[in-house]
Amino acid sequence: MGQQPMEESNPEISELIDWYGKHLINLAYTYCKDWSMSEGVVQEVFISAYKNLDTFNRQSSYKTWLYAITINKSKDFLRKPFMKDPFFQRMMNKVKPVHPTPEEHVIQKEGQHGLAAEVMSLPIKYREVIILYYYDDLSTKEVSDLLKIPLSTAKTRIQRGRQVLRKQLEGGDFLA
């Protein structure tokens, strides 16, 4: 990755891809649970960002803006008719990567594979806030803005997500 983004300048789309591409793919994966589909979603994100870059109003950072687009595009993707097809769902559940992705490799190296798997098994309302807050290092305010939920709801979901994770890690298999 290149230098950290300077929010006051007008970046080129290629710079945004360099700065945020991998993070956005990881974020999309939390919804799609498939790396190639996540990459497709992020391609749509950058196409949309490219088309709307000149209208970006700077009420948020580029990072927050791109995260919001990614979340919306990921949710749109999951609403597509083929995603509800039982045959497609069975196929997606059978497809496993032959080799670990770079992200999985890093997680394994850090000894965090179990935790990452538990986070990915959380219900989406907890998974998204946990990932945005802990892994993407966003504030609760940024999380609530991105997800378009009240700040108190974001705080509650983070707290409940932690509780669910704790129960799962203790072997309780608790899902809220």
Side-chain angles (χ1 to χ4, degrees):
M1 291 224 193
Q3 290 180 291
Q4 280 294 9
M6 299 209 37
E7 294 295 338
E8 57 277 348
S9 66
N10 285 332
E12 296 289 325
I13 197 72
S14 61
E15 292 174 313
L16 293 174
I17 292 169
D18 288 345
W19 294 333
Y20 302 116
K22 289 180 183 176
H23 296 287
L24 297 179
I25 291 169
N26 291 339
L27 178 59
Y29 181 80
T30 66
Y31 291 89
C32 302
K33 293 191 176 184
D34 178 83
W35 290 111
S36 62
M37 289 181 191
S38 301
E39 290 169 349
V41 166
V42 172
Q43 285 178 353
E44 289 183 32
V45 167
F46 283 117
I47 289 169
S48 180
Y50 177 74
K51 290 178 180 177
N52 297 296
L53 195 57
D54 58 337
T55 62
F56 177 65
N57 60 17
R58 296 183 184 271
Q59 289 182 346
S60 64
S61 67
Y62 286 107
K63 178 180 180 180
T64 304
W65 180 58
L66 290 170
Y67 272 50
I69 296 171
T70 303
I71 289 168
N72 290 332
K73 294 279 185 194
S74 296
K75 288 179 178 179
D76 289 347
F77 177 80
L78 293 175
R79 285 188 207 109
K80 290 186 177 184
F82 74 88
M83 288 299 294
K84 294 176 176 59
D85 183 333
F87 174 76
F88 182 78
Q89 289 178 347
R90 283 193 308 275
M91 291 303 294
M92 288 305 298
N93 289 334
K94 290 181 181 181
V95 174
K96 300 288 181 215
V98 177
H99 52 82
T101 64
E103 292 81 5
E104 290 169 336
H105 183 68
V106 168
I107 289 170
Q108 288 169 352
K109 280 179 72 175
E110 294 175 359
Q112 298 287 324
H113 186 68
L115 178 60
E118 293 298 332
V119 169
M120 291 304 292
S121 73
L122 289 172
I124 189 69
K125 68 181 182 179
Y126 299 135
R127 182 173 62 225
E128 65 188 359
V129 296
I130 294 293
I131 289 172
L132 292 171
Y133 185 76
Y134 288 105
Y135 291 93
D136 291 326
D137 217 17
L138 298 180
S139 70
T140 51
K141 172 82 172 102
E142 290 172 316
V143 170
S144 75
D145 290 346
L146 272 173
L147 299 176
K148 296 181 174 90
I149 58 175
L151 181 60
S152 60
T153 302
K155 289 178 180 179
T156 300
R157 286 184 185 176
I158 291 168
Q159 180 183 18
R160 288 188 183 156
R162 281 194 303 243
Q163 290 171 350
V164 172
L165 267 177
R166 188 176 305 117
K167 293 275 188 193
Q168 287 177 343
L169 292 170
E170 291 170 356
D173 285 323
F174 170 84
L175 287 178

